[in-house]
Amino acid sequence: MIVKDLAEKVFKKLKEQSKEAKLDKTGSIKPYIGSIQLRDYYLSSAAFSKNSYKNIIWSRVTKAIESNTNIHCETLEVSGEIMKVWEWISGI
């Protein structure tokens, strides 16, 4: 249940990011978010303080996210750092 709930939260966040990027006339808002940024955002609570548990949960969330055809997964250099990013590519 935790994995499904987290995946749904990530999908929602990626949809919001896509929408904000499309509305941004300056081009400063990117349509993608780093997967590690999302992991740290959603799994930063004390309930997920053990790294091994956090990694197991997040690997399952990653599998759910990346198997969804609405998500584009890519490795990019962002602010000098190489990272995997996810982008919602379907209609909103």
Side-chain angles (χ1 to χ4, degrees):
M1 196 63 157
I2 291 173
V3 172
K4 183 179 178 184
D5 291 343
L6 284 172
E8 289 301 321
K9 288 179 180 181
V10 170
F11 288 136
K12 182 178 179 187
K13 182 68 174 163
L14 291 170
K15 287 177 194 176
E16 290 170 0
Q17 185 75 14
S18 178
K19 184 178 178 181
E20 287 179 25
K22 287 176 183 170
L23 295 174
D24 177 35
K25 303 299 183 205
T26 67
S28 62
I29 298 176
K30 302 300 179 201
Y32 54 80
I33 305 175
S35 63
I36 299 303
Q37 292 170 309
L38 289 164
R39 180 202 67 194
D40 291 346
Y41 180 77
Y42 288 112
L43 297 180
S44 62
S45 71
F48 299 106
S49 61
K50 290 187 178 181
N51 274 341
S52 59
Y53 182 64
K54 183 190 297 191
N55 290 336
I56 290 168
I57 294 294
W58 195 250
S59 68
R60 292 178 183 164
V61 171
T62 297
K63 185 177 179 181
I65 299 298
E66 293 179 358
S67 67
N68 188 303
T69 58
N70 295 306
I71 301 297
H72 173 71
C73 178
E74 185 175 3
T75 302
L76 294 176
E77 182 175 345
V78 179
S79 300
E81 213 176 311
I82 304 294
M83 66 176 65
K84 183 189 298 188
V85 297
W86 292 332
E87 178 181 355
W88 183 266
I89 57 171
S90 189
I92 298 174

